[in-house]
Amino acid sequence: MTADIVAWILLLVVAAYVCGGGVDYGAGFWDLLAGGAERGKAPRRLIDHAMAPVWEVNNVWLIFVLILMWTGFPVFFQTVFTALWLPLALAAVGMVLRGAGFALRKPTRRLAERRIYGAVFAVSSLLTPFFLGAAAGGVASGRVKPGTTASADAWASTTSIVAGLLTVAATAFLGAVFLTADARRFDAHDLIGYFRVRAWISIGALVVIGAIGLAVTDEQASYVHHGLTHGIGLLLVLVAAVAVVATAWLVSRRNAGWARYTSVASVALVVAAWGFAQRPYLLPTSLTVQEAAGATASLRWMLFVALIAAVLIGPALVVLYRLDTHGVLEPLTDEDVGE
């Protein structure tokens, strides 16, 4: 029972990182596609100001994920980080380079250096979620089992590639929706339509890649596919689809801020559907939650730590996100968003 609770907390924290970090990765994705120095000047300045107050805080979720895996499910942690060390290492390098590029780009005065740092930030914002998604696809495909050695076969399958592309599309979707709302609250009226169109494009990409993913998992990840097309997993996928449609409508309205909630809900519901589709396994058909669980005492301490974190850190994060989404932390000037 304790192991099951910790497993659901792990899934909840993964969803929090996918949504919180996904917004930032998505902003970096659109930074990559913003165009040259002059054409992309206004979008990139909006991205800088929208991300600056909160971009580091999302690492809290990632650290919590690692702690839960390591302490709560050591066999799962060992198996995943042994078999999938390469995509995870590439994702980690991308996180470091992405953070460095974002931190150094803004204060740098020389145009050539700004372009280099900006390129590092933008490219890493694309590659990092792709490799994280590819690793998740390797887990979902059932190719990763206790004793599996590191090899391309563990994560370079069609399922992993589709999962990586779906992750990138999800981050682009979240980033575009949030930037549409940011453009409105910062009165950057010329950028509202700019990011609204990109939100619709990313929704189309999500639908296409998601449909391909369901077709692929039917053969390569049959256990997860069955879970996604039956029972609670299917219900969550359908609710997520409704949330995506609602987001497409809300992002076109004057108060696009509500679209942020539906976009986050849609992505979180997909992550939840994945969790329900895999149960009772952490590694489909080879390692259950109970088999992977650590010592009972460790699991109980993890529940206690999670409770303390929810009481002490949770409210602070809620306040931070609320202040940021209401434009309180760092106002934007006309010069920043002007062409």
Side-chain angles (χ1 to χ4, degrees), residues 8 11 224 228 233 236 269-281:
W8 286 117
L11 182 66
V224 172
L228 291 173
L236 292 173
L269 285 167
V270 170
V271 175
W274 172 36
F276 273 96
Q278 284 199 180
R279 63 175 182 167
Y281 295 101

Side-chain angles (χ1 to χ4, degrees), residues 231-241 266 269-270 272-274 276:
I232 298 178
L234 175 60
L235 176 61
L236 292 173
V237 169
L238 293 176
V239 176
S266 63
L269 285 167
V270 170
W274 172 36
F276 273 96

Side-chain angles (χ1 to χ4, degrees), residues 220-246:
Q220 296 193 4
S222 57
Y223 188 88
V224 172
H225 179 272
H226 182 272
L228 291 173
T229 54
H230 295 80
I232 298 178
L234 175 60
L235 176 61
L236 292 173
V237 169
L238 293 176
V239 176
V242 172
V244 169
V245 173

